[in-house]
Amino acid sequence: MYRLPDEHLEKVRDFAVNNRIKKKCKTCYDRGYIGVTEENLLVPCVKCVDMEKVEKLWKDYVKSVPELFEHFKELFEEDKEKEKEDKAE
């Protein structure tokens, strides 16, 4: 099992905190994230965070770090499949 290093977790936490839509949230207690998984991945709050923007920032960050790209390349394979389906329609 791959465990995300803490320095990358801090970066993702910044993405969630800086892209909050609501000021007050009872789900995440105004943090912007609900918690962390066993793999040390952040679980952003879907109620108060702009999930599309955070996902885009995360993907851009993963592309810039080869070590992460190795472990998360399936994210980009899904995007390619979606593009193929959109073109087929």
Side-chain angles (χ1 to χ4, degrees):
M1 175 172 66
Y2 177 73
R3 184 167 167 78
L4 186 70
D6 288 336
E7 69 249 16
H8 302 302
L9 179 63
E10 288 297 322
K11 190 71 169 173
V12 178
R13 187 175 291 144
D14 290 343
F15 295 157
V17 171
N18 294 330
N19 290 291
R20 291 189 58 218
I21 298 168
K22 297 168 79 178
K23 296 281 184 193
K24 297 284 183 183
C25 182
K26 292 181 181 179
T27 303
C28 68
Y29 305 105
D30 306 329
R31 294 182 301 181
Y33 60 95
I34 296 170
V36 180
T37 66
E38 290 179 6
E39 293 89 16
N40 210 24
L41 298 173
L42 192 79
V43 181
C45 179
V46 294
K47 280 190 141 186
C48 72
V49 173
D50 184 353
M51 295 298 286
E52 289 178 11
K53 192 168 185 180
V54 169
E55 184 177 347
K56 184 181 180 328
L57 289 168
W58 170 245
K59 286 181 179 182
D60 291 343
Y61 182 70
V62 168
K63 285 179 187 177
S64 69
V65 181
E67 168 192 331
L68 290 179
F69 188 77
E70 173 92 19
H71 293 284
F72 292 102
K73 57 186 162 190
E74 68 273 357
L75 286 174
F76 303 99
E77 291 171 2
E78 291 173 7
D79 288 344
K80 289 178 184 176
E81 289 177 15
K82 285 182 185 178
E83 287 177 10
K84 287 180 184 177
E85 289 175 6
D86 291 342
K87 288 180 182 177
E89 293 175 0

